[in-house]
Amino acid sequence: MKLYLSVDMEGITGLPDYTYVSSSQHNYERARKIMTDETNYILDTAFKTGAKEVLVNDSHSKMNNILIDQLHPEAQLITGDVKTYSMVQGLDDSFDGAMFIGYHARAGMPGVMSHSMIHAVRNFYINDQQIGELGMNALLAGYFGVPVLLVSGDDETAKEAEELIPNVTTVVVKEAISRSAAKSLTPKKAGELLQQKVTQALENKQNAQPLIPPDNPTLKIEFANYGNAEWASLMPGAEIIPKTTIVKYEAKDMLEAYRALLVMIELALNTKYA
């Protein structure tokens, strides 16, 4: 059995706000340790339950947060920024399942540090289906026929995953009080829960179904202001829907839609005055 782990940071146990997920802030180094330990709980159980190979993709910010010297020795880690498929780099049809760890709710929804890639984004759409990072990544996994077996994060993330992905196992390690406050399990208790749920997800693997994307997806990104949309629309093939801040792109497949999204949000960040 070959498994893929995409590990974000906002949904990790005990992390309530930006001081834990921004490398310039005082709580960041503590958070890196908790993130690495949480990944190890999952890896340990996966290998004990029959996984022969597990690829971990660091999926937060500059994507160099996980402490490789403290990671389970049998895992492989993709670390660093500028990756063609970002949070799902390295995922292909050779994997039996994927797990999304430390994820968060999409922009505009309640949940700890909820957002969609960047704060300039209000909504992502694939063929008018409103989704966030979780949805985009699940659809790319589905393109390769890989089911998302497990999603961990806060209670709002679990709701989003269950509404989107058939037969997914979810793990609630904290409950959102606000966007910057949470009632959290301790890392040890969260680790024990994650181990139980990983076992459950792997036992349920045959019932999990990939989230299959449409053949020729229409990507739409709704931005916070018109300047973001103007910058994003500079990408060839993209266009602003008149009198909105929505930029549309007709893609040939989900791979192209995902890469288009990455380019458009990077362009949008050039807006200097909001």
Side-chain angles (χ1 to χ4, degrees):
M1 181 170 56
K2 184 178 179 183
L3 296 176
Y4 181 91
L5 268 59
S6 173
V7 187
D8 204 352
M9 204 167 191
E10 287 89 353
I12 295 293
T13 304
L15 279 54
D17 60 37
Y18 79 99
T19 65
Y20 288 81
V21 301
S22 173
S23 61
S24 64
Q25 299 298 313
H26 62 286
N27 283 317
Y28 172 70
E29 290 301 326
R30 292 172 58 203
R32 294 181 74 192
K33 178 67 164 62
I34 297 169
M35 180 188 191
T36 305
D37 289 346
E38 194 149 303
T39 305
N40 280 335
Y41 277 112
I42 295 158
L43 290 168
D44 185 62
T45 304
F47 282 117
K48 286 179 178 177
T49 315
K52 300 301 182 185
E53 182 178 345
V54 185
L55 178 63
V56 179
N57 183 34
D58 192 325
S59 297
H60 175 72
S61 188
K62 294 301 181 183
M63 303 186 177
N64 56 6
N65 312 280
I66 290 173
L67 302 168
I68 193 169
D69 55 319
Q70 297 178 30
L71 196 64
H72 192 294
E74 298 303 315
Q76 292 182 300
L77 176 67
I78 296 176
T79 182
D81 198 9
V82 188
K83 298 184 287 193
T84 307
Y85 295 106
S86 187
M87 298 179 75
V88 280
Q89 182 68 33
L91 181 58
D92 59 30
D93 60 7
S94 68
F95 289 89
D96 298 295
M99 298 184 180
F100 295 166
I101 310 304
Y103 270 52
H104 53 80
R106 61 182 171 83
M109 299 300 289
V112 177
M113 294 182 273
S114 59
H115 68 282
S116 295
M117 293 285 192
I118 62 172
H119 294 307
V121 168
R122 287 180 177 164
N123 290 297
F124 295 147
Y125 299 89
I126 292 291
N127 282 13
D128 296 322
Q129 181 180 18
Q130 196 172 19
I131 56 175
E133 295 172 30
L134 193 162
M136 287 295 297
N137 295 338
L139 285 167
L140 197 76
Y143 174 86
F144 292 113
V146 178
V148 178
L149 305 178
L150 179 143
V151 175
S152 75
D154 70 3
D155 53 328
E156 297 294 338
T157 308
K159 291 176 191 175
E160 185 175 323
E162 288 163 4
E163 290 172 0
L164 184 68
I165 304 169
N167 297 317
V168 69
T169 298
T170 56
V171 192
V172 176
V173 299
K174 58 190 174 188
E175 296 177 11
I177 294 172
S178 70
R179 196 169 173 275
S180 56
K183 182 173 77 172
S184 180
L185 299 176
T186 62
K188 180 173 173 49
K189 283 293 184 184
E192 292 171 358
L193 177 62
L194 283 160
Q195 290 182 318
Q196 294 170 15
K197 291 287 191 173
V198 168
T199 300
Q200 178 184 323
L202 293 177
E203 289 173 350
N204 187 53
K205 183 166 67 70
Q206 299 307 316
N207 296 320
Q209 299 295 320
L211 188 65
I212 304 298
D215 289 334
N216 303 110
T218 298
L219 167 68
K220 291 190 289 187
I221 305 177
E222 182 180 10
F223 289 99
N225 65 67
Y226 202 79
N228 301 134
E230 285 178 327
W231 271 102
S233 70
L234 294 178
M235 189 182 76
E239 60 177 329
I240 300 175
I241 296 177
K243 298 184 179 180
T244 75
T245 59
I246 298 172
V247 182
K248 181 175 72 171
Y249 182 83
E250 304 286 351
K252 67 179 181 182
D253 56 27
M254 194 61 206
L255 296 179
E256 185 175 84
Y258 197 98
R259 293 181 70 175
L261 179 144
L262 296 177
V263 173
M264 288 160 65
I265 62 174
E266 286 296 324
L267 286 169
L269 288 171
N270 283 286
T271 306
K272 300 302 182 186
Y273 180 69

